[in-house]
Amino acid sequence: MLEQILTLLPQVIFDGLILGFVYAMVALGYTMVYGVLELINFAHSEIFMIGAVVGVEVFRYLAPQVENGLLLLLLALVLGGAVAGITAILVERFAYRPLRKRGTTNRLVPLITAIGVSFILQDLVRLIEGLWHNEFFLRMRTVEDLEGSVELFEGAIFAQNKSFILMGVSILMLVGLTYLVNRTKLGVAIRAVAQDLSTASLMGIDPDRIISRTFLIGGSLGGVAGVLFALQYTTITPYVGFLPGLKAFTAAVLGGIGNIPGAMVGGLVLGQLENFFGTYLPILTNGNFGTEYKDVVAFLILILILLLRPQGLLGQVVKEKV
Amino acid sequence: MSALSLLLSLAFLALAFLAPGALANLFGLGALAVATFVRLSPQGRTLNLALLTLAFTLGLMRSGNTLGLIGLVGILVALTTLPRIPTWVRALLGLAILLLSVPLAGFANTFVFELGIQIGIYAAMALGLNVVVGMAGLLDLGYAAFFAVGAYTWAIFGSEQAKNFMQGNFPLPGEYMYLFMGIAIVTTALTGLLIGLPALRLRGDYLAIVTLGLGEVVRILANNLDHPVNFTNGPQGITPVQRPPIDWFRELMAAIGVRLDQTTDYQLFFYFLVLVMIGLVVLVNLNLANSRFGRAWVAIREDEIAARSMGIPLLPTKLLAFMTGAAFSGVMGVIFAAQRTFVSPESFTLLASITILGMVILGGMGSIPGAILGAAALTILNLDILKTFSEFVRTSLPQIPSQVDPAKYERLVFGLILVLMMIFRPEGLIPEKRHRAEMEEGA
């Protein structure tokens, strides 16, 4: 059994890395919104799903016109990111901002709203797809240029070309975001609002604008992640965002919620853990407990982290003020 | 004004007699709204509500349009919440609705019974969740998990399922259902303890996502514990589940002159059983609200730190709320399993949890009549109105793609309800006094 585990290990790590990059990008959306609003934006998993659906539609309609597979993917990424980002802005504008303006102190109110928004978006996408194609189980169209695979390390890893694209794009996005947050004026403003909203507004920052931008950035990252997810895993439904969303949130908590590098690290770690358990649990238990339990493992990790290290891997302890 | 309201009620009575159906019932709901919001003398209001009860009953018997059931629940809520109605009127009219109107309509149209039972089960659960969310302010998004634990507790032992992992004579005879209602209280409260111990140490929004995750875990377990040992029979679910024998009930009914046939006997029985349960749950709810624990819950909800500094032990108090809510849900799970004789993981999804949450939110967090009204409205919406609407779309708008079937869009409807309520009326339709003050505080 040990030998089997060892031979599988490189592949497990590689697949976990792919999953980890998807989680990392989605987790950033959770963490950034939490940073500025202290709100768990449940609807973010649907923003991710919308990106995936837009990706599928772009491939469906533009694949015959656009010869070059990479150009097609670029179009899908841009469109997916844009639609997802705009949806995120709209959600903030029409669901969360009215609550903020009324200024309820009850913490449940925005949370319940977020859940409601998440449900609305799921069925809205289903409705649109239903009217458009009369089906909502979508399959990503395969494009010659993007297919193909290589074997690395004498066959120890079987890797699809798509996986490298996914990793490359993710790394670019993550580096870009790090630059944006740390080096630009907008990034400074976002960090200022996250640190203290009312003081930031005294320094000439318009918090509403910054919050809106934060949703745009987080949303388009989620959308891009969605397109890549669709490319990699090919089957998409309006309900596909729920589990990755929940796990990406877990990743955000794992890294320390509100902490941007933390979300990236958390995503990568969670991707590894999940894939590790998903592959090895059936082997270790002689098939008695199958891959289905990998989701259970993810939640148990979430609970353990929250209990043992609620500030996450990279977060700082924040004292609750009276 | 009182004359106008009375006139409307009379007009509705005539409509219910002459042209019963959806339109008449919508008119009736309007008349009910007028009767509750207009200033009336106690006698005027009594007469008005009695007329409306009569009209809704008549309409329900003659047409089977289930909006009438919302009307009846609405009258019940009006009876319990409006001021200056004599107590005997409240009691008499309320009992008449529960014991006469609904069964009469049920005999005319058995779907009304089915709805009544479902409303009852969900109302009891909404009341349980109301303890957790409404009183203690703990957002539990995995509430259906406890419902599942309760349902499976009886389904496994009340069917041949238990033979897979233990010796003995299974299925257990139906009488054991009553015992298992007690056992389910214990198993679900323990599950609540198990989930709550880690989850309740966390701050509010983390609690929401952890309960959501654990709700999923329970569903995954129900789906997959058919191997290595077959506990739950996986996605196929368990059937048939035993029902209690009801010969005594048939005899009792025959003694007072009600003749029951093969379908209505169990329906009437479960209807009454659910009524009794709701009565108990409401009693427990009322007593808890005014008890030391109820006050402690409200204190925690309003300000955790202040409550702690007043000497309220946070974790045990929260755990108690969590376990109480879980136990309510568990008992109803047993009844659910027995009534449908079938249990599968399908019934315990996140959507189910959110539906129950929606009932509490719609009615008003912390409000007992609110939770019942919310349960009635959403159950009827889910089981009847959306389906009727689908039928309508299929027959009169055939050019619309088959995937656009309103019955499949309950998420959209529930989502809209949650968002709109939170934006425009976060205290709910029938607000509890203290909650309203709390919601308006920040404004």
Side-chain angles (χ1 to χ4, degrees):
Chain A
M1 186 155 44
L2 191 66
E3 199 181 334
Q4 195 187 0
I5 288 177
L6 282 179
T7 42
L8 280 177
L9 193 60
Q11 184 72 48
V12 169
I13 293 178
F14 184 78
D15 291 345
L17 209 56
I18 299 169
L19 202 58
F21 274 118
V22 174
Y23 288 163
M25 286 211 281
V26 184
L28 281 170
Y30 280 108
T31 248
M32 289 176 71
V33 168
Y34 194 90
V36 292
L37 284 185
E38 295 205 355
L39 163 74
I40 298 178
N41 183 12
F42 276 95
H44 191 60
S45 52
E46 269 51 67
I47 302 293
F48 164 78
M49 174 274 292
I50 286 173
V53 170
V54 171
V56 171
E57 293 299 342
V58 168
F59 269 59
R60 187 204 300 260
Y61 282 103
L62 295 185
Q65 275 92 0
V66 183
E67 296 280 312
N68 188 334
L70 285 175
L71 184 65
L72 182 66
L73 180 64
L74 188 67
L75 276 174
L77 289 172
V78 171
L79 271 174
V83 174
I86 290 167
T87 316
I89 291 185
L90 292 178
V91 166
E92 192 276 327
R93 179 67 192 79
F94 291 105
Y96 301 149
R97 195 176 293 180
L99 300 178
R100 217 163 56 236
K101 293 294 165 231
R102 206 182 50 220
T104 45
T105 48
N106 192 317
R107 284 188 75 106
L108 297 189
V109 171
L111 209 55
I112 293 167
T113 312
I115 297 164
V117 169
S118 156
F119 269 48
I120 292 175
L121 288 179
Q122 285 176 1
D123 263 3
L124 219 52
V125 170
R126 180 175 169 167
L127 187 67
I128 292 170
E129 288 295 326
L131 284 171
W132 198 355
H133 305 298
N134 199 23
E135 61 172 358
F136 64 95
F137 274 93
L138 307 172
R139 282 197 69 82
M140 189 79 166
R141 187 180 180 131
T142 47
V143 175
E144 281 299 311
D145 297 13
L146 303 174
E147 296 303 313
S149 55
V150 284
E151 291 191 357
L152 303 174
F153 305 111
E154 294 163 2
I157 295 178
F158 171 84
Q160 287 182 295
N161 292 348
K162 295 192 277 193
S163 311
F164 294 111
I165 298 175
L166 188 149
M167 287 188 211
V169 175
S170 312
I171 292 172
L172 272 180
M173 299 298 286
L174 298 182
V175 170
L177 182 81
T178 313
Y179 173 80
L180 184 115
V181 171
N182 289 327
R183 291 271 188 275
T184 63
K185 223 171 170 183
L186 177 62
V188 175
I190 289 176
R191 281 184 291 145
V193 171
Q195 200 164 36
D196 190 333
L197 193 140
S198 49
T199 311
S201 71
L202 294 177
M203 305 295 154
I205 296 171
D206 177 0
D208 279 342
R209 234 172 75 133
I210 297 304
I211 288 169
S212 194
R213 295 280 159 86
T214 311
F215 272 86
L216 175 67
I217 296 167
S220 28
L221 268 180
V224 168
V227 176
L228 294 171
F229 182 84
L231 184 70
Q232 181 77 27
Y233 300 97
T234 61
T235 313
I236 299 298
T237 73
Y239 308 113
V240 83
F242 174 63
L243 273 179
L246 204 54
K247 286 177 192 156
F249 175 77
T250 306
V253 174
L254 187 65
I257 193 137
N259 183 316
I260 290 174
M264 301 181 190
V265 174
L268 291 173
V269 172
L270 191 75
Q272 289 299 337
L273 287 174
E274 185 189 321
N275 213 38
F276 193 81
F277 281 104
T279 316
Y280 289 137
L281 211 57
I283 298 177
L284 290 174
T285 60
N286 280 327
N288 285 335
F289 293 98
T291 324
E292 312 87 79
Y293 288 94
K294 66 174 198 261
D295 300 338
V296 176
V297 172
F299 298 134
L300 292 183
I301 291 171
L302 173 66
I303 292 168
L304 282 179
I305 288 288
L306 285 174
L307 287 179
L308 301 176
R309 199 178 157 79
Q311 71 273 31
L313 296 175
L314 303 183
Q316 291 161 336
V317 186
V318 185
K319 279 262 157 60
E320 206 168 331
K321 292 175 214 121
V322 181
Chain B
M1 278 314 255
S2 65
L4 173 76
S5 171
L6 212 58
L7 212 65
L8 277 176
S9 301
L10 277 171
F12 173 45
L13 186 60
L15 260 180
F17 190 71
L18 295 173
L23 282 178
N25 278 332
L26 278 177
F27 182 81
L29 288 177
L32 176 61
V34 171
T36 44
F37 287 112
V38 163
R39 227 172 227 290
L40 290 174
S41 65
Q43 296 89 345
R45 185 157 271 159
T46 305
L47 183 64
N48 219 325
L49 289 178
L51 272 177
L52 285 172
T53 309
L54 193 64
F56 274 122
T57 312
L58 204 66
L60 208 52
M61 283 169 68
R62 288 171 58 87
S63 79
N65 181 286
T66 51
L67 277 177
L69 216 49
I70 297 189
L72 287 178
V73 176
I75 296 176
L76 279 179
V77 169
L79 283 172
T80 48
T81 49
L82 290 177
R84 293 191 307 135
I85 301 177
T87 315
W88 66 270
V89 173
R90 290 179 209 257
L92 201 69
L93 213 51
L95 285 178
I97 288 175
L98 292 176
L99 301 183
L100 284 177
S101 298
V102 178
L104 279 177
F107 285 125
N109 179 359
T110 50
F111 185 56
V112 172
F113 267 139
E114 183 57 35
L115 269 181
I117 295 167
Q118 294 302 325
I119 291 174
I121 290 177
Y122 277 103
M125 281 202 285
L127 286 169
L129 188 61
N130 194 26
V131 171
V132 184
V133 178
M135 288 190 200
L138 308 166
L139 188 55
D140 181 355
L141 297 182
Y143 192 62
F146 302 121
F147 190 40
V149 171
Y152 273 101
T153 303
W154 172 235
I156 289 173
F157 293 96
S159 71
E160 306 211 331
Q161 198 61 28
K163 277 185 183 162
N164 293 328
F165 56 91
M166 63 193 284
Q167 299 279 313
N169 220 352
F170 295 107
L172 292 174
E175 296 94 333
Y176 278 83
M177 191 197 86
Y178 305 111
L179 175 67
F180 269 79
M181 284 163 71
I183 294 179
I185 291 183
V186 178
T187 53
T188 45
L190 282 179
T191 317
L193 185 72
L194 214 65
I195 292 182
L197 259 183
L200 291 173
R201 288 168 199 269
L202 309 169
R203 243 207 7 241
D205 32 9
Y206 285 133
L207 174 70
I209 206 135
V210 166
T211 49
L212 180 121
L214 288 168
E216 274 304 288
V217 168
V218 169
R219 200 179 57 82
I220 293 173
L221 288 180
N223 249 324
N224 291 301
L225 276 182
D226 50 351
H227 63 278
V229 180
N230 188 353
F231 287 106
T232 63
N233 209 23
Q236 290 94 8
I238 301 175
T239 193
V241 182
Q242 292 289 310
R243 293 168 153 187
I246 54 165
D247 290 329
W248 61 272
F249 181 72
R250 281 198 203 93
E251 278 164 28
L252 186 73
M253 284 294 121
I256 58 170
V258 180
R259 203 175 305 151
L260 298 169
D261 60 37
Q262 291 294 336
T263 51
T264 49
D265 55 354
Y266 266 108
Q267 283 180 323
L268 191 65
F269 169 73
F270 276 112
Y271 173 71
F272 281 135
L273 182 63
V274 165
L275 275 191
V276 171
M277 290 314 297
I278 293 187
L280 285 176
V281 168
V282 168
L283 266 183
V284 173
N285 243 312
L286 282 174
N287 276 312
L288 276 176
N290 297 320
S291 73
R292 201 161 64 98
F293 298 116
R295 288 161 209 264
W297 289 334
V298 174
I300 288 180
R301 180 185 82 206
E302 295 201 344
D303 191 334
E304 215 165 271
I305 296 169
R308 193 169 56 191
S309 58
M310 290 292 146
I312 295 173
L314 283 190
L315 189 61
T317 315
K318 285 183 182 178
L319 265 180
L320 192 73
F322 211 65
M323 289 164 69
T324 313
F328 284 161
S329 183
V331 178
M332 295 326 280
V334 173
I335 296 180
F336 181 77
Q339 190 253 336
R340 301 209 320 170
T341 69
F342 170 66
V343 168
S344 83
E346 282 278 281
S347 318
F348 313 110
T349 53
L350 173 69
L351 185 63
S353 298
I354 303 294
T355 307
I356 305 169
L357 180 69
M359 293 166 181
V360 176
I361 305 283
L362 183 66
M365 285 187 269
S367 152
I368 293 173
I372 296 175
L373 183 70
L378 287 198
T379 310
I380 291 176
L381 183 73
N382 207 0
L383 293 181
D384 193 41
I385 296 178
L386 283 179
K387 293 221 168 82
T388 317
F389 193 46
S390 285
E391 201 78 1
F392 170 76
V393 169
R394 247 201 311 277
T395 50
S396 47
L397 300 165
Q399 68 276 24
I400 285 193
S402 57
Q403 271 305 326
V404 187
D405 177 359
K408 293 182 182 139
Y409 288 87
E410 69 279 64
R411 285 162 184 263
L412 184 65
V413 178
F414 291 158
L416 278 173
I417 289 175
L418 289 181
V419 173
L420 294 179
M421 289 304 287
M422 283 300 114
I423 293 178
F424 296 108
R425 203 175 159 87
E427 70 273 24
L429 291 179
I430 308 168
E432 188 229 13
K433 228 182 283 165
R434 191 189 290 269
H435 246 106
R436 173 152 50 185
E438 211 177 305
M439 292 291 181
E440 282 164 1
E441 189 177 281

